[in-house]
Every structure is written in C-alpha cells, then in structure tokens.
Amino acid sequence: AQKVTQAQTEISVVEKEDVTLDCVYETRDTTYYLFWYKQPPSGELVFLIRRNSFDEQNEISGRYSWNFQKSTSSFNFTITASQVVDSAVYFCAPSAAGNKLTFGGGTRVLVKP
Amino acid sequence: DTAVSQTPKYLVTQMGNDKSIKCEQNLGHDTMYWYKQDSKKFLKIMFSYNNKELIINETVPNRFSPKSPDKAHLNLHINSLELGDSAVYFCASSQGAGNNEKLFFGSGTQLSVL
C-alpha cells in the first residue's frame, strides 16, 4: 500500500514570497506517477502537475516548480512569487494501478497581501 | 459547461435514511471515481469504474453502492446512513485508468447526517 506524508500542515507567507511544500511517499511500485492537486476555498480539487518516477529532472512550469528525488522518495513543490489566489490546500498523491491516488493529508497555504 | 457535475451540492439527512448522489461528466472519459474527504481533509478513494466496470473497490461498507448506467454517469447510493458518513464526497473522471491520468473533480457533495 502507498503512504504519503505531508509534514507541513499549514504555511503562512506574505505575497511574493516563495513557498515550498514537502512530500514524502512510500510505494512498492517500481514505476509510478506523482501528482500535486490544489483545493482552493471553493472546495473543488484541481490538477496542478504530474511527474513520472523514471525521470528525475526538476521542472518549472510558470510559477510552479518541482523537485523529485527518487532516492529519498520526495516530491517537493514550489510556488514562486506567491499570490493571494494561491491560498489553498495542496495535496501530494502518488498513483497506483487503476489510477488509484493516495492523497497526503494536505498542506494549507495562506498567502497574505 | 461544467465538466464533472454532481448533485446535490449539499445533503442534510437523518440517520438511517437512504440517499443518492449523482455524478455526470461530459468529457468523454472512460473512467470515473468516488472519493471521500473527511473533516480533517483526508481524501480517500472509494470506488473506480472503467467503461462501466468496477475496477477499484476499497474497504467501503456495503451500505455504499455505486452504479454506472453508462460511461458518463457514476451515481453513489448510501443505505442506512450513519453519523460517520458525514463528509464531502467527490466524483472525478479521467480519460482512462492508467496511473498517469490526471483527474477532473466535481465540486463535491457535502453530506451531513444528523
């Protein structure tokens, strides 16, 4: 079974600061995908990024970037130059067969103006 | 047009009642899911259907019965509701059941059992 730990329950920053969210996971699968989803105050879950387990390149997409380290089973996510609209709960989730996502407990990000 | 729509948005009911939550997706996806989010925000998969066939069935009480009349619909029926069933239930869909597929979620149904 997969397990996900998001050790930070809440992070508060001032607008324009960078925010890094930690995610550590456990899986027995040799190949898998890792996801980050965002849940804004409106409640709907929104896909952000996806990473496969066989490519450890760090990537940047707009203000989002992620750092995947297979050796430490970590998949950290950074928001650069945070904005108030980034305030949300962020979930890390590895996927297993059947596209079964195991979600972490989430990290609440509060961006203050 | 809402991609994944679920109704109702709020459901308040008494213990012991039977209720249903409906979900429809207009994305042409093959795979649909039900997730439960508790009051501490923990999200857990309940069921998954691919082309109307059940492919994931987590350890969910058999009071919960999903039904997929066609690929675009996955409804959730709950019998004999209990206090512990109070949660937000999310429907989702994906193109297929591969583990690289991103999920599109509905806006959730907040179920309160009194």
Side-chain angles (χ1 to χ4, degrees), chain B:
Chain B
D1 275 350
T2 303
V4 181
S5 59
Q6 50 182 113
T7 55
K9 189 166 175 63
Y10 300 98
L11 188 50
V12 181
T13 188
Q14 300 285 333
M15 258 192 338
N17 284 351
D18 303 338
K19 289 293 177 186
S20 292
I21 306 172
K22 295 186 176 181
C23 179
E24 175 181 4
Q25 53 95 2
N26 63 6
L27 297 167
H29 287 171
D30 288 341
T31 311
M32 295 185 73
Y33 313 78
W34 278 107
Y35 277 82
K36 178 181 179 181
Q37 185 172 42
D38 66 22
S39 58
K40 295 183 179 177
K41 293 286 191 182
F42 284 105
L43 265 164
K44 193 167 163 51
I45 191 167
M46 300 174 70
F47 302 103
S48 169
Y49 273 71
N50 188 54
N51 282 315
K52 302 194 298 175
E53 298 295 323
L54 181 67
I55 57 171
I56 294 174
N57 184 351
E58 288 296 283
T59 49
V60 177
N62 57 14
R63 298 182 295 104
F64 290 79
S65 52
K67 283 199 171 43
S68 182
D70 55 58
K71 279 195 330 181
H73 295 84
L74 181 61
N75 304 322
L76 183 65
H77 189 75
I78 316 169
N79 289 328
S80 303
L81 278 155
E82 300 177 358
L83 293 175
D85 297 332
S86 295
V88 181
Y89 292 83
F90 285 96
C91 177
S93 72
S94 62
Q95 185 68 57
N99 65 354
N100 63 334
E101 301 281 353
K102 62 182 180 183
L103 266 59
F104 293 77
F105 283 87
S107 55
T109 295
Q110 185 161 335
L111 171 64
S112 300
V113 182
L114 307 177

